[in-house]
Amino acid sequence: MKNIFRKKITYLTLFCVLFTAIACNEDKFLEVPVTGQVSGPQLLSEDGLDGLLIGVYAALNGNDALGWFSGQANWLWGSIRGGDANKGSDAGDFATIIPYARFEQTPTDPEHFSKWRGSYEGISRANIFLANLAAFEGYTEEQKAPLAAEGRFLRGLYYFELRRAFLNVPWVDETMTDAEAVLVPNTVEIWPNIEAEFQYAMNNLPETHDQVGRVNKWAAAAFLARTYMYQDKFTEAKTLYDDIIANGQTSNGLKYGLVENFEDVFKGPNENHKETIFAFQAAANTGSINNTNHEIAMNYPYNTGPSGPGECCGFFQPSFELVNSYRTNASGLPLLDGSYNNPNNAVKDDYGLLSSQPFTPDAGPLDPRLDHSIGRRGIMFLDWQEHPGDAWIRDQSFGGPYTQKKYSYYEADKGTYQDGSSWTPGYHSINFMIMRFSDVLLMAAEAEIEVGSLETARMYVNMVRERAGNTVVVDPDTGNPAANYVIGTYDSPWGSQDEARRAVRFERKLELALEGQRFFDLVRWGIAESVINAYLDFEGNILPTNLGSGSTFTPNQDEYLPIPQNQIDLQQAEGSDGSSSVLIQNPGYN
C-alpha cells in the first residue's frame, strides 16, 4: 500500500466501475455520479485495489457534489440540532438549514438527503472494493483479511451514521445483485450488522500502520464500544474500554492519551497526535478542494480573518446557551443545576447587545475551554487578533455574537495548512477527528456508572477536567489570562448514579462542544425532548428570527430524520395491487 493516506496526497475518485456486485443506478438510493470509469482488469490488481480503498476513505468527508452535510463533521445533524450552535450567517443564506434547527423538517426538505446520499456513497464504494478484493487472485486469504477489515470498518462506520441519523435504513452489501439490492426494505434492525463489521475489523486489523491515516484494531474496538453504548450494552462496552484505555495506541504507534493542552488538540501542525482515535486525513493545495476539510469551510468568522478578505461566511455560530454552560462556581465546577442560564449567572459578554455597541467584559468564573472553543468579542482568536465583534458577525440579530474556534486554522498556517485556491480561504487541511480519546474516556465513564464503579468514572472525568485547566487564553497586551478562568475537579465521591450521570453528561457537552456529538448523545440518553425544548425556549427568546416562536422538539419523531421522500418514491416493488414502496417512512413523518 503506497503512502496514500498521509497528508498532502491527492484525493482519488473511482465510481461506477464495470466489475461490481452493486452497480450505480441513477434512479436508486445507491446513486453515485460518474466521474471516471476503469475496467475490471485494471481494478483486479494491487494498484486497482489500492485506488478503490482510497475512494472508500475519501467519502468520509463527503464532497461538494454530495452536499455540505454529507460527511462525518455533523455540524448540522449533531451540533445545531443539539443546541451547540445556531445556523449563523443571516436568514437568507442557506435557508434550507433553518427547518432542521427548528425541528420543522419534512421528508421533502433537501439537506438530509445529503447525509443519506453521502453515507450510501461510502457504502457503495466499500461494497465495490470488497467485491473486487474477493475476486482478486493475487493475494492469499491471509493477505486479504486486513484489507477486508479496513473496508468493513468503513462500511460499518457509514452504516453507523445512517442508523443514528435515520433509524430505519436498508442494509446492502457486496454479495447482492443489483436486482436484490434495490428491493431491500428498511424494516430490519441493523445494529447487529454494524457490530459484526467492527468486530471483524478489530479481529483482523493490525495495531499500527506505516500510513498514519489508516484505521487500526484499536479504532475498530473504540467504534464497536460506541456501538454498544448506543444500545445500552454497558457491560460489553466497559470490557472494551478497559482494554482500550490500558493498551490502545494510534495507527502511528502512540499510546492513547490526552494531549497536554486543550488548545493544541485542533492545531494543524499537531495532527495525528496521541488523542486521535480515527480522523479524516485532509490535504491542502492539491488541486482539488475535495481533499481539504471542506465540509466546515463556511464555519469561520464573517468577512475577514480566516474567512477573508471577502464576504464569507459566518455559519455555525455557537449558541448563548452553550456559552453560558461554561460558567463555573467558585470551585471551578460546572453549574449542573442549569442555573448558568439565569440572568445573574449567564456570560454577559455581548449578551443581548449588538456587536457594535460597547460592552463590559464578563468577570465571572469560566471554564477555560470556552475561549479555546468559541470566539468572543475582545478575546484573542487564535493568533489572528482580538475578536472585533461586528466586523466578524454577519447578522447578530439572527445568529448571535459568537464564532466557533475548533478546527479554525491559524494565521501562521496560511499557505500550508490552508488552501487558497478557491472562492473562500476557509478550505484547509486540518484533519477532522471522527473520534478522539477524551470522547472514549467520557464514554467509558458512562459505562462505569451503569455497571462498574462511580469512582472509576469520576477518575476519567477528572482526567479530562485536569487537562482543560492546563492552558488559558492570554491577553496579548497584559500577558495575563484573558478572563477569570477557574476550573476544578470532582474531589468528593458522587452520591448516586443520577449525580454521576449529570456530571458525565455535562462534561461531554463542554469537552466535545461543536464536534457533532451533542444531539446524538441527547437521543441515546433519552432526554432529548426536555433538554432541546428548554434550549429552544431560551435561545428562541433571544434570537426569535432564527429559531422562531414556538419551535418544538416532538418526541417519537424528531429523534430521527425522515427517510428522504425521493428515495421512498424511487424504491418501488411490484405487488399484487401494483407498485408499492420498498422503504417505510419513519414515525411521525407520514
Side-chain angles (χ1 to χ4, degrees), residues 53 56-57 122-123 125-127 129-130 133 145-158 197 200-201 205 215:
L53 185 54
V56 187
Y57 277 94
I123 291 163
R125 295 185 189 190
N127 287 341
F129 166 71
L130 291 166
L133 178 64
L147 294 172
E150 285 186 79
R152 290 187 62 176
F153 168 85
L154 292 166
R155 183 170 64 185
L157 181 54
Y158 293 123
E197 299 290 82
Y200 181 88
L205 284 170
V215 64

PDB file of all heavy atoms in Angstrom, residues 53 56-57 122-123 125-127 129-130 133 145-158 197 200-201 205 215:
ATOM      1  N   LEU A  53      -9.723   1.417  -2.338  1.00  0.00           N
ATOM      2  CA  LEU A  53      -9.743   1.621  -0.894  1.00  0.00           C
ATOM      3  C   LEU A  53      -9.565   3.091  -0.540  1.00  0.00           C
ATOM      4  O   LEU A  53     -10.208   3.591   0.395  1.00  0.00           O
ATOM      5  CB  LEU A  53      -8.653   0.769  -0.234  1.00  0.00           C
ATOM      6  CG  LEU A  53      -8.607   0.781   1.292  1.00  0.00           C
ATOM      7  CD1 LEU A  53      -9.951   0.404   1.905  1.00  0.00           C
ATOM      8  CD2 LEU A  53      -7.510  -0.141   1.810  1.00  0.00           C
ATOM      9  N   VAL A  56     -12.872   4.690  -0.681  1.00  0.00           N
ATOM     10  CA  VAL A  56     -13.745   4.435   0.463  1.00  0.00           C
ATOM     11  C   VAL A  56     -13.409   5.396   1.602  1.00  0.00           C
ATOM     12  O   VAL A  56     -14.298   5.965   2.237  1.00  0.00           O
ATOM     13  CB  VAL A  56     -13.634   2.975   0.938  1.00  0.00           C
ATOM     14  CG1 VAL A  56     -14.674   2.693   2.021  1.00  0.00           C
ATOM     15  CG2 VAL A  56     -13.813   2.003  -0.223  1.00  0.00           C
ATOM     16  N   TYR A  57     -12.136   5.580   1.866  1.00  0.00           N
ATOM     17  CA  TYR A  57     -11.723   6.549   2.884  1.00  0.00           C
ATOM     18  C   TYR A  57     -12.151   7.970   2.513  1.00  0.00           C
ATOM     19  O   TYR A  57     -12.594   8.743   3.361  1.00  0.00           O
ATOM     20  CB  TYR A  57     -10.208   6.522   3.062  1.00  0.00           C
ATOM     21  CG  TYR A  57      -9.672   5.452   3.975  1.00  0.00           C
ATOM     22  CD1 TYR A  57      -9.236   4.229   3.470  1.00  0.00           C
ATOM     23  CD2 TYR A  57      -9.566   5.660   5.341  1.00  0.00           C
ATOM     24  CE1 TYR A  57      -8.714   3.243   4.303  1.00  0.00           C
ATOM     25  CE2 TYR A  57      -9.049   4.694   6.189  1.00  0.00           C
ATOM     26  CZ  TYR A  57      -8.627   3.480   5.665  1.00  0.00           C
ATOM     27  OH  TYR A  57      -8.120   2.509   6.501  1.00  0.00           O
ATOM     28  N   GLY A 122     -20.386   6.147   0.486  1.00  0.00           N
ATOM     29  CA  GLY A 122     -19.303   5.421   1.136  1.00  0.00           C
ATOM     30  C   GLY A 122     -19.552   3.931   1.159  1.00  0.00           C
ATOM     31  O   GLY A 122     -18.628   3.129   0.958  1.00  0.00           O
ATOM     32  N   ILE A 123     -20.798   3.526   1.406  1.00  0.00           N
ATOM     33  CA  ILE A 123     -21.155   2.104   1.417  1.00  0.00           C
ATOM     34  C   ILE A 123     -20.974   1.503   0.033  1.00  0.00           C
ATOM     35  O   ILE A 123     -20.442   0.395  -0.124  1.00  0.00           O
ATOM     36  CB  ILE A 123     -22.595   1.935   1.916  1.00  0.00           C
ATOM     37  CG1 ILE A 123     -22.676   2.276   3.402  1.00  0.00           C
ATOM     38  CG2 ILE A 123     -23.112   0.519   1.650  1.00  0.00           C
ATOM     39  CD1 ILE A 123     -24.070   2.532   3.905  1.00  0.00           C
ATOM     40  N   ARG A 125     -18.947   2.458  -2.316  1.00  0.00           N
ATOM     41  CA  ARG A 125     -17.515   2.308  -2.581  1.00  0.00           C
ATOM     42  C   ARG A 125     -16.949   1.127  -1.812  1.00  0.00           C
ATOM     43  O   ARG A 125     -16.104   0.377  -2.329  1.00  0.00           O
ATOM     44  CB  ARG A 125     -16.787   3.587  -2.196  1.00  0.00           C
ATOM     45  CG  ARG A 125     -17.155   4.801  -3.026  1.00  0.00           C
ATOM     46  CD  ARG A 125     -16.282   5.976  -2.637  1.00  0.00           C
ATOM     47  NE  ARG A 125     -16.727   7.221  -3.253  1.00  0.00           N
ATOM     48  CZ  ARG A 125     -16.036   8.351  -3.237  1.00  0.00           C
ATOM     49  NH1 ARG A 125     -14.870   8.384  -2.612  1.00  0.00           N
ATOM     50  NH2 ARG A 125     -16.503   9.439  -3.807  1.00  0.00           N
ATOM     51  N   ALA A 126     -17.376   0.962  -0.552  1.00  0.00           N
ATOM     52  CA  ALA A 126     -16.892  -0.172   0.233  1.00  0.00           C
ATOM     53  C   ALA A 126     -17.312  -1.493  -0.398  1.00  0.00           C
ATOM     54  O   ALA A 126     -16.515  -2.452  -0.464  1.00  0.00           O
ATOM     55  CB  ALA A 126     -17.421  -0.073   1.669  1.00  0.00           C
ATOM     56  N   ASN A 127     -18.560  -1.573  -0.862  1.00  0.00           N
ATOM     57  CA  ASN A 127     -19.033  -2.798  -1.499  1.00  0.00           C
ATOM     58  C   ASN A 127     -18.249  -3.103  -2.772  1.00  0.00           C
ATOM     59  O   ASN A 127     -17.923  -4.268  -3.058  1.00  0.00           O
ATOM     60  CB  ASN A 127     -20.525  -2.676  -1.813  1.00  0.00           C
ATOM     61  CG  ASN A 127     -21.395  -2.765  -0.571  1.00  0.00           C
ATOM     62  OD1 ASN A 127     -20.960  -3.262   0.468  1.00  0.00           O
ATOM     63  ND2 ASN A 127     -22.619  -2.290  -0.665  1.00  0.00           N
ATOM     64  N   PHE A 129     -15.173  -2.170  -3.430  1.00  0.00           N
ATOM     65  CA  PHE A 129     -13.841  -2.604  -3.016  1.00  0.00           C
ATOM     66  C   PHE A 129     -13.856  -4.047  -2.528  1.00  0.00           C
ATOM     67  O   PHE A 129     -13.021  -4.870  -2.929  1.00  0.00           O
ATOM     68  CB  PHE A 129     -13.315  -1.683  -1.911  1.00  0.00           C
ATOM     69  CG  PHE A 129     -12.117  -2.238  -1.194  1.00  0.00           C
ATOM     70  CD1 PHE A 129     -10.877  -2.306  -1.817  1.00  0.00           C
ATOM     71  CD2 PHE A 129     -12.229  -2.720   0.113  1.00  0.00           C
ATOM     72  CE1 PHE A 129      -9.777  -2.839  -1.160  1.00  0.00           C
ATOM     73  CE2 PHE A 129     -11.135  -3.250   0.771  1.00  0.00           C
ATOM     74  CZ  PHE A 129      -9.904  -3.311   0.138  1.00  0.00           C
ATOM     75  N   LEU A 130     -14.806  -4.387  -1.670  1.00  0.00           N
ATOM     76  CA  LEU A 130     -14.850  -5.735  -1.099  1.00  0.00           C
ATOM     77  C   LEU A 130     -15.131  -6.794  -2.158  1.00  0.00           C
ATOM     78  O   LEU A 130     -14.563  -7.901  -2.111  1.00  0.00           O
ATOM     79  CB  LEU A 130     -15.891  -5.792   0.014  1.00  0.00           C
ATOM     80  CG  LEU A 130     -15.531  -5.009   1.284  1.00  0.00           C
ATOM     81  CD1 LEU A 130     -16.743  -4.848   2.183  1.00  0.00           C
ATOM     82  CD2 LEU A 130     -14.384  -5.686   2.030  1.00  0.00           C
ATOM     83  N   LEU A 133     -11.885  -7.170  -4.078  1.00  0.00           N
ATOM     84  CA  LEU A 133     -10.897  -7.845  -3.247  1.00  0.00           C
ATOM     85  C   LEU A 133     -11.160  -9.348  -3.206  1.00  0.00           C
ATOM     86  O   LEU A 133     -10.234 -10.163  -3.324  1.00  0.00           O
ATOM     87  CB  LEU A 133     -10.929  -7.261  -1.829  1.00  0.00           C
ATOM     88  CG  LEU A 133      -9.985  -7.898  -0.806  1.00  0.00           C
ATOM     89  CD1 LEU A 133      -8.531  -7.675  -1.203  1.00  0.00           C
ATOM     90  CD2 LEU A 133     -10.251  -7.335   0.595  1.00  0.00           C
ATOM     91  N   ALA A 145      -7.380 -10.546   4.477  1.00  0.00           N
ATOM     92  CA  ALA A 145      -8.151 -10.314   5.704  1.00  0.00           C
ATOM     93  C   ALA A 145      -7.996  -8.892   6.256  1.00  0.00           C
ATOM     94  O   ALA A 145      -9.010  -8.233   6.558  1.00  0.00           O
ATOM     95  CB  ALA A 145      -7.775 -11.352   6.763  1.00  0.00           C
ATOM     96  N   PRO A 146      -6.770  -8.345   6.414  1.00  0.00           N
ATOM     97  CA  PRO A 146      -6.682  -6.979   6.954  1.00  0.00           C
ATOM     98  C   PRO A 146      -7.226  -5.920   5.997  1.00  0.00           C
ATOM     99  O   PRO A 146      -7.749  -4.891   6.451  1.00  0.00           O
ATOM    100  CB  PRO A 146      -5.183  -6.791   7.209  1.00  0.00           C
ATOM    101  CG  PRO A 146      -4.516  -7.792   6.339  1.00  0.00           C
ATOM    102  CD  PRO A 146      -5.446  -8.960   6.260  1.00  0.00           C
ATOM    103  N   LEU A 147      -7.135  -6.164   4.695  1.00  0.00           N
ATOM    104  CA  LEU A 147      -7.718  -5.221   3.743  1.00  0.00           C
ATOM    105  C   LEU A 147      -9.237  -5.269   3.797  1.00  0.00           C
ATOM    106  O   LEU A 147      -9.911  -4.227   3.786  1.00  0.00           O
ATOM    107  CB  LEU A 147      -7.228  -5.531   2.330  1.00  0.00           C
ATOM    108  CG  LEU A 147      -5.731  -5.326   2.079  1.00  0.00           C
ATOM    109  CD1 LEU A 147      -5.339  -5.858   0.699  1.00  0.00           C
ATOM    110  CD2 LEU A 147      -5.365  -3.851   2.204  1.00  0.00           C
ATOM    111  N   ALA A 148      -9.787  -6.478   3.870  1.00  0.00           N
ATOM    112  CA  ALA A 148     -11.234  -6.598   4.028  1.00  0.00           C
ATOM    113  C   ALA A 148     -11.683  -5.943   5.324  1.00  0.00           C
ATOM    114  O   ALA A 148     -12.765  -5.344   5.395  1.00  0.00           O
ATOM    115  CB  ALA A 148     -11.643  -8.068   4.005  1.00  0.00           C
ATOM    116  N   ALA A 149     -10.848  -6.029   6.366  1.00  0.00           N
ATOM    117  CA  ALA A 149     -11.190  -5.418   7.643  1.00  0.00           C
ATOM    118  C   ALA A 149     -11.284  -3.898   7.521  1.00  0.00           C
ATOM    119  O   ALA A 149     -12.162  -3.271   8.144  1.00  0.00           O
ATOM    120  CB  ALA A 149     -10.159  -5.812   8.695  1.00  0.00           C
ATOM    121  N   GLU A 150     -10.394  -3.291   6.739  1.00  0.00           N
ATOM    122  CA  GLU A 150     -10.499  -1.845   6.517  1.00  0.00           C
ATOM    123  C   GLU A 150     -11.803  -1.496   5.809  1.00  0.00           C
ATOM    124  O   GLU A 150     -12.511  -0.552   6.192  1.00  0.00           O
ATOM    125  CB  GLU A 150      -9.306  -1.356   5.693  1.00  0.00           C
ATOM    126  CG  GLU A 150      -8.018  -1.270   6.467  1.00  0.00           C
ATOM    127  CD  GLU A 150      -6.903  -0.647   5.658  1.00  0.00           C
ATOM    128  OE1 GLU A 150      -6.854   0.592   5.520  1.00  0.00           O
ATOM    129  OE2 GLU A 150      -6.060  -1.420   5.138  1.00  0.00           O
ATOM    130  N   GLY A 151     -12.105  -2.253   4.740  1.00  0.00           N
ATOM    131  CA  GLY A 151     -13.336  -1.991   4.008  1.00  0.00           C
ATOM    132  C   GLY A 151     -14.570  -2.185   4.862  1.00  0.00           C
ATOM    133  O   GLY A 151     -15.515  -1.387   4.816  1.00  0.00           O
ATOM    134  N   ARG A 152     -14.569  -3.217   5.681  1.00  0.00           N
ATOM    135  CA  ARG A 152     -15.736  -3.492   6.517  1.00  0.00           C
ATOM    136  C   ARG A 152     -15.847  -2.487   7.660  1.00  0.00           C
ATOM    137  O   ARG A 152     -16.958  -2.111   8.050  1.00  0.00           O
ATOM    138  CB  ARG A 152     -15.688  -4.926   7.040  1.00  0.00           C
ATOM    139  CG  ARG A 152     -15.926  -5.966   5.939  1.00  0.00           C
ATOM    140  CD  ARG A 152     -16.042  -7.373   6.487  1.00  0.00           C
ATOM    141  NE  ARG A 152     -17.191  -7.513   7.388  1.00  0.00           N
ATOM    142  CZ  ARG A 152     -17.548  -8.675   7.942  1.00  0.00           C
ATOM    143  NH1 ARG A 152     -16.850  -9.783   7.666  1.00  0.00           N
ATOM    144  NH2 ARG A 152     -18.583  -8.736   8.758  1.00  0.00           N
ATOM    145  N   PHE A 153     -14.717  -2.048   8.215  1.00  0.00           N
ATOM    146  CA  PHE A 153     -14.785  -0.985   9.227  1.00  0.00           C
ATOM    147  C   PHE A 153     -15.442   0.259   8.651  1.00  0.00           C
ATOM    148  O   PHE A 153     -16.337   0.850   9.262  1.00  0.00           O
ATOM    149  CB  PHE A 153     -13.393  -0.635   9.748  1.00  0.00           C
ATOM    150  CG  PHE A 153     -13.383   0.626  10.569  1.00  0.00           C
ATOM    151  CD1 PHE A 153     -13.683   0.584  11.919  1.00  0.00           C
ATOM    152  CD2 PHE A 153     -13.110   1.865   9.987  1.00  0.00           C
ATOM    153  CE1 PHE A 153     -13.713   1.759  12.679  1.00  0.00           C
ATOM    154  CE2 PHE A 153     -13.135   3.032  10.730  1.00  0.00           C
ATOM    155  CZ  PHE A 153     -13.437   2.978  12.087  1.00  0.00           C
ATOM    156  N   LEU A 154     -14.970   0.685   7.485  1.00  0.00           N
ATOM    157  CA  LEU A 154     -15.507   1.907   6.880  1.00  0.00           C
ATOM    158  C   LEU A 154     -16.979   1.743   6.534  1.00  0.00           C
ATOM    159  O   LEU A 154     -17.787   2.649   6.759  1.00  0.00           O
ATOM    160  CB  LEU A 154     -14.686   2.280   5.646  1.00  0.00           C
ATOM    161  CG  LEU A 154     -13.249   2.727   5.952  1.00  0.00           C
ATOM    162  CD1 LEU A 154     -12.414   2.730   4.675  1.00  0.00           C
ATOM    163  CD2 LEU A 154     -13.233   4.100   6.608  1.00  0.00           C
ATOM    164  N   ARG A 155     -17.339   0.593   6.002  1.00  0.00           N
ATOM    165  CA  ARG A 155     -18.749   0.344   5.718  1.00  0.00           C
ATOM    166  C   ARG A 155     -19.568   0.387   7.013  1.00  0.00           C
ATOM    167  O   ARG A 155     -20.667   0.964   7.056  1.00  0.00           O
ATOM    168  CB  ARG A 155     -18.928  -0.997   5.010  1.00  0.00           C
ATOM    169  CG  ARG A 155     -20.379  -1.279   4.608  1.00  0.00           C
ATOM    170  CD  ARG A 155     -20.482  -2.495   3.705  1.00  0.00           C
ATOM    171  NE  ARG A 155     -20.063  -3.733   4.372  1.00  0.00           N
ATOM    172  CZ  ARG A 155     -19.975  -4.909   3.769  1.00  0.00           C
ATOM    173  NH1 ARG A 155     -20.270  -5.020   2.481  1.00  0.00           N
ATOM    174  NH2 ARG A 155     -19.598  -5.987   4.440  1.00  0.00           N
ATOM    175  N   GLY A 156     -19.042  -0.211   8.061  1.00  0.00           N
ATOM    176  CA  GLY A 156     -19.732  -0.153   9.342  1.00  0.00           C
ATOM    177  C   GLY A 156     -19.899   1.256   9.851  1.00  0.00           C
ATOM    178  O   GLY A 156     -20.942   1.608  10.426  1.00  0.00           O
ATOM    179  N   LEU A 157     -18.880   2.104   9.637  1.00  0.00           N
ATOM    180  CA  LEU A 157     -18.964   3.490  10.081  1.00  0.00           C
ATOM    181  C   LEU A 157     -20.028   4.258   9.315  1.00  0.00           C
ATOM    182  O   LEU A 157     -20.801   5.033   9.907  1.00  0.00           O
ATOM    183  CB  LEU A 157     -17.600   4.162   9.913  1.00  0.00           C
ATOM    184  CG  LEU A 157     -17.496   5.629  10.347  1.00  0.00           C
ATOM    185  CD1 LEU A 157     -17.972   5.833  11.776  1.00  0.00           C
ATOM    186  CD2 LEU A 157     -16.058   6.120  10.188  1.00  0.00           C
ATOM    187  N   TYR A 158     -20.106   4.039   7.999  1.00  0.00           N
ATOM    188  CA  TYR A 158     -21.153   4.713   7.215  1.00  0.00           C
ATOM    189  C   TYR A 158     -22.547   4.247   7.651  1.00  0.00           C
ATOM    190  O   TYR A 158     -23.476   5.055   7.758  1.00  0.00           O
ATOM    191  CB  TYR A 158     -20.947   4.449   5.724  1.00  0.00           C
ATOM    192  CG  TYR A 158     -19.701   5.097   5.161  1.00  0.00           C
ATOM    193  CD1 TYR A 158     -18.713   4.331   4.518  1.00  0.00           C
ATOM    194  CD2 TYR A 158     -19.498   6.462   5.257  1.00  0.00           C
ATOM    195  CE1 TYR A 158     -17.577   4.911   4.005  1.00  0.00           C
ATOM    196  CE2 TYR A 158     -18.345   7.057   4.749  1.00  0.00           C
ATOM    197  CZ  TYR A 158     -17.392   6.274   4.127  1.00  0.00           C
ATOM    198  OH  TYR A 158     -16.258   6.857   3.623  1.00  0.00           O
ATOM    199  N   GLU A 197     -19.410  -5.786  11.627  1.00  0.00           N
ATOM    200  CA  GLU A 197     -18.375  -5.104  10.841  1.00  0.00           C
ATOM    201  C   GLU A 197     -17.214  -4.671  11.725  1.00  0.00           C
ATOM    202  O   GLU A 197     -16.036  -4.896  11.404  1.00  0.00           O
ATOM    203  CB  GLU A 197     -18.973  -3.875  10.141  1.00  0.00           C
ATOM    204  CG  GLU A 197     -20.102  -4.165   9.166  1.00  0.00           C
ATOM    205  CD  GLU A 197     -19.648  -4.863   7.908  1.00  0.00           C
ATOM    206  OE1 GLU A 197     -19.484  -6.108   7.957  1.00  0.00           O
ATOM    207  OE2 GLU A 197     -19.459  -4.199   6.886  1.00  0.00           O
ATOM    208  N   TYR A 200     -15.253  -7.735  13.164  1.00  0.00           N
ATOM    209  CA  TYR A 200     -14.351  -8.321  12.172  1.00  0.00           C
ATOM    210  C   TYR A 200     -13.119  -7.426  12.009  1.00  0.00           C
ATOM    211  O   TYR A 200     -11.983  -7.921  11.935  1.00  0.00           O
ATOM    212  CB  TYR A 200     -15.059  -8.479  10.830  1.00  0.00           C
ATOM    213  CG  TYR A 200     -14.189  -9.098   9.754  1.00  0.00           C
ATOM    214  CD1 TYR A 200     -14.116 -10.471   9.601  1.00  0.00           C
ATOM    215  CD2 TYR A 200     -13.428  -8.297   8.911  1.00  0.00           C
ATOM    216  CE1 TYR A 200     -13.307 -11.041   8.627  1.00  0.00           C
ATOM    217  CE2 TYR A 200     -12.613  -8.853   7.939  1.00  0.00           C
ATOM    218  CZ  TYR A 200     -12.552 -10.224   7.790  1.00  0.00           C
ATOM    219  OH  TYR A 200     -11.738 -10.781   6.830  1.00  0.00           O
ATOM    220  N   ALA A 201     -13.350  -6.124  11.953  1.00  0.00           N
ATOM    221  CA  ALA A 201     -12.223  -5.194  11.806  1.00  0.00           C
ATOM    222  C   ALA A 201     -11.280  -5.294  12.997  1.00  0.00           C
ATOM    223  O   ALA A 201     -10.048  -5.340  12.836  1.00  0.00           O
ATOM    224  CB  ALA A 201     -12.748  -3.773  11.638  1.00  0.00           C
ATOM    225  N   LEU A 205      -7.495  -6.312  11.930  1.00  0.00           N
ATOM    226  CA  LEU A 205      -6.636  -5.173  11.632  1.00  0.00           C
ATOM    227  C   LEU A 205      -5.361  -5.215  12.457  1.00  0.00           C
ATOM    228  O   LEU A 205      -5.350  -5.707  13.591  1.00  0.00           O
ATOM    229  CB  LEU A 205      -7.375  -3.862  11.927  1.00  0.00           C
ATOM    230  CG  LEU A 205      -8.427  -3.424  10.918  1.00  0.00           C
ATOM    231  CD1 LEU A 205      -9.242  -2.265  11.464  1.00  0.00           C
ATOM    232  CD2 LEU A 205      -7.780  -3.042   9.586  1.00  0.00           C
ATOM    233  N   VAL A 215      -7.105   2.975   9.426  1.00  0.00           N
ATOM    234  CA  VAL A 215      -7.705   2.525  10.670  1.00  0.00           C
ATOM    235  C   VAL A 215      -6.933   1.332  11.230  1.00  0.00           C
ATOM    236  O   VAL A 215      -6.440   0.484  10.475  1.00  0.00           O
ATOM    237  CB  VAL A 215      -9.187   2.177  10.457  1.00  0.00           C
ATOM    238  CG1 VAL A 215      -9.353   0.996   9.510  1.00  0.00           C
ATOM    239  CG2 VAL A 215      -9.894   1.923  11.775  1.00  0.00           C
TER     240      VAL A 215
END
